[in-house]
Amino acid sequence: MKRFKIQMATMLTAGTLLFASSCEDFLEVPVVGQLSEAQLSSLAGIDAALIAAYSQVNGRFQRMASPSNWVWGSIRGGDANKGTDPGDFVTINPIQRYEAFSTINILEENWNGNYEGIARSNNVLRLLDSRGNDVTDAQARGFEAQARFLRAHYYFQLYRNFNKVPIIPHTVDYGMEEFDNLSNDQEMLPFIEAEFRFAAENLPATQPQVGRVNSWAAKAYLGKTLLYAKKFAEAKQVFDDVIANGVTSNNLRYDLVPYYDDMFRGANDNHQESIWAYQSAAGTGTVNNANPEFDLNFPYNTGPSGPGNCCGFFQPSFTFVNSFRTNNGLPLLDNSFNQPANRVVSDMGLTSAEPFTPDAGPLDPRLDHTVGRRGIPYLDWQDHPGEAWVRNQPNGGPYAPKKYVYQRAEQGTFQDNSSWTPGYTGINFLIIRFADVLLMAAEAEVELGNLEAARALVNRVRERAKNSELLRDNGQPAANYVVELYNAPWTDANTARTAVRFERNLELGMEGHRFYDLVRWGIAKEAIDFYLALDASILQGALGGAVFTAGRDEWLPIPQNQIDLMGSDKLRQNPGF
């Protein structure tokens, strides 16, 4: 009996321990809806994290963080005025007037949107530190190179707007001591250069998905960074390689698209000029997959007779339009295009019911691929009717943007109708394109004294412009287009430099480059004063009294909220704010 009781006690004790152990195991259930570290560090998990880093490139509905830089690069650079009504999106008003202050919410939108991209890129790198066994060394290197490319892009965006910003290593997170010691006291370009160099050395030439960056995109961006750093010899070496040997991620040899407007058509996405583009798709059931870059920047009140029907932002400036005037087929490099005799005739002050004849003088056809103006075909919709498609002509002028606007033929295919506005498109936005590389290479050649090499590169771009006349349905040119090459040798460096810089504005106008170019050339004050002299005299309400202050307005103020969070001893405000 005693032995039996001992056996029973032993069994009960064992059962109790087993029950306790089983209960403990039962309670250790993974959290529902949360991925485990093992899942996140797997091949599929890391790739998904990388796709999330790519997806942030367009700002993810933080419009002011998008790489189009239509406010930060084009409006500040004088390509365009804000347009629309003065009371619509009022936080852009001080930006276009060079009166920025540190509590404007769109500054923080740009800051937060790009730092979100950095956080997502850093997350990929953290996951790679503990990667699973199903991730090979080669795959890890490819993931790292893409993540570091994207991280460099986001920092480059921040650098061009705010100058020095905190560089956050992927090993540092909020709340760590190292995070608390971050500051904005270091130069940005050396770090960005190193990131793009790593990407260029470790990415493949082609990719299984065209939207993923390749080694040639990294080299092009590296060359751009070197140009900003004024390392002209190194930049030339990189650009020479890209121009001679570069291919797209889908293995198309880099080249200019034969007809200028074809760059901005959805059916032509990922063409031979597309070095790196934000991938967009329409009709997927959500505009999250579309291109939100320009949803506000369509002609106003078009009804079914035009695209977008909202909202009249981003109107090309008078100075920008006038710059397309030619003389004997060449641009007016002496800036005489703003003189009364050379200005492009516009319908400013006229209603659509009043008669108007478009300008008959010689023009570069890129004007009419970039700008909608009265009496000239607006894509395949109709001739632009003038004031009827302009929300507030005295506030923004008579012109409308044209690049990245969808055609009538693109409705329902490369245009999305699932949101409040039909202005979401499936047209990729080109962040770097081949013509940009050619002109950056030309710039490096000028600074190195190779003027004839620079002339050849510029002429390559102008040859495409010459072959891109905008035609009416009857096959006749829509205006008097006269474009010629620079046939005389370039012997003076200042003249060559002016020609290259002028060509960048004609070729890349309203693509977000202008202000950043002016700042890195050291001529922002001079160029913006020239723009304001004409445009402010016409658009008194929007620009009257606007002044660009050298030594301050080359950069934006760092958002005050960010300074409050980090402390003014660590995050120092830019001069003058």
Side-chain angles (χ1 to χ4, degrees), residues 220-489:
Y221 224 146
L222 171 62
K224 186 171 188 172
T225 305
L226 292 167
L227 199 66
Y228 270 69
K230 297 184 173 14
K231 297 180 179 180
F232 299 116
E234 292 180 61
K236 168 185 161 52
Q237 185 177 13
V238 173
F239 289 138
D240 284 350
D241 189 18
V242 172
I243 292 167
N245 304 304
V247 296
T248 65
S249 285
N250 53 339
N251 204 28
L252 299 176
R253 180 73 176 269
Y254 286 153
D255 202 354
L256 297 174
V257 172
Y259 185 67
Y260 190 80
D261 186 68
D262 285 347
M263 274 183 293
F264 312 109
R265 304 277 63 85
N268 236 20
D269 277 348
N270 301 312
H271 47 66
Q272 64 267 40
E273 193 160 342
S274 178
I275 291 179
W276 185 38
Y278 183 81
Q279 301 293 305
S280 304
T284 64
T286 172
V287 293
N288 288 343
N289 298 321
N291 181 351
E293 305 284 336
F294 307 109
D295 59 337
L296 304 178
N297 304 346
F298 290 85
Y300 182 71
N301 200 33
T302 63
S305 301
N309 202 36
C310 180
C311 295
F313 285 78
F314 200 38
Q315 293 183 247
S317 71
F318 292 94
T319 297
F320 176 64
V321 169
N322 293 341
S323 68
F324 289 87
R325 177 70 74 202
T326 63
N327 181 29
N328 295 321
L330 296 176
L332 281 63
L333 300 182
D334 61 356
N335 285 346
S336 61
F337 54 82
N338 262 0
Q339 294 177 3
N342 292 328
R343 295 175 189 170
V344 176
V345 176
S346 78
D347 64 322
M348 183 69 179
L350 299 177
T351 68
S352 293
E354 295 177 278
F356 173 74
T357 302
D359 191 286
L363 294 167
D364 187 314
R366 286 173 291 190
L367 168 63
D368 290 327
H369 292 297
T370 306
V371 176
R373 57 193 185 102
R374 184 172 173 184
I376 303 298
Y378 194 83
L379 303 175
D380 61 348
W381 292 94
Q382 63 176 53
D383 284 359
H384 192 290
E387 181 262 349
W389 276 12
V390 177
R391 188 169 189 174
N392 186 329
Q393 198 184 71
N395 186 67
Y399 302 118
K402 225 171 184 181
K403 289 178 178 177
Y404 297 105
V405 173
Y406 63 91
Q407 292 182 332
R408 183 192 296 269
E410 292 174 315
Q411 284 182 294
T413 52
F414 297 100
Q415 171 270 333
D416 198 298
N417 286 309
S418 62
S419 187
W420 67 276
T421 173
Y424 291 93
T425 74
I427 302 170
N428 290 353
F429 177 76
L430 295 160
I431 300 170
I432 302 180
R433 60 183 178 93
F434 189 57
D436 185 9
V437 168
L438 292 174
L439 294 174
M440 288 191 290
E443 185 178 331
E445 297 285 14
V446 168
E447 300 308 325
L448 294 169
N450 306 321
L451 305 188
E452 284 298 273
R455 182 170 72 96
L457 290 163
V458 170
N459 277 343
R460 186 170 174 183
V461 174
R462 292 185 63 78
E463 183 73 44
R464 193 259 300 276
K466 184 176 182 179
N467 295 328
S468 296
E469 291 187 329
L470 180 68
L471 303 178
R472 295 189 177 277
D473 290 340
N474 62 8
Q476 296 301 307
N480 179 19
Y481 301 124
V482 184
V483 175
E484 296 299 335
L485 308 186
Y486 287 99
N487 292 316

Side-chain angles (χ1 to χ4, degrees), residues 113-130:
N114 282 296
Y115 265 113
E116 174 66 22
I118 291 165
R120 294 185 185 196
S121 302
N122 276 344
N123 184 49
V124 174
L125 299 175
R126 276 195 294 270
L127 292 172
L128 285 169
D129 286 344
S130 58

Side-chain angles (χ1 to χ4, degrees), residues 149 196-197 199-201 203 213-223 238 275:
F149 176 104
F196 283 129
R197 196 176 295 279
E201 292 170 354
L203 283 168
V213 293
N214 67 352
S215 60
W216 295 108
K219 288 179 182 179
Y221 224 146
L222 171 62
V238 173
I275 291 179

Side-chain angles (χ1 to χ4, degrees), residues 77-97:
D79 280 357
N81 301 306
K82 172 200 161 189
T84 187
D85 278 325
D88 194 1
F89 213 148
V90 295
T91 47
I92 299 177
N93 294 344
I95 302 301
Q96 75 163 344
R97 294 179 53 81

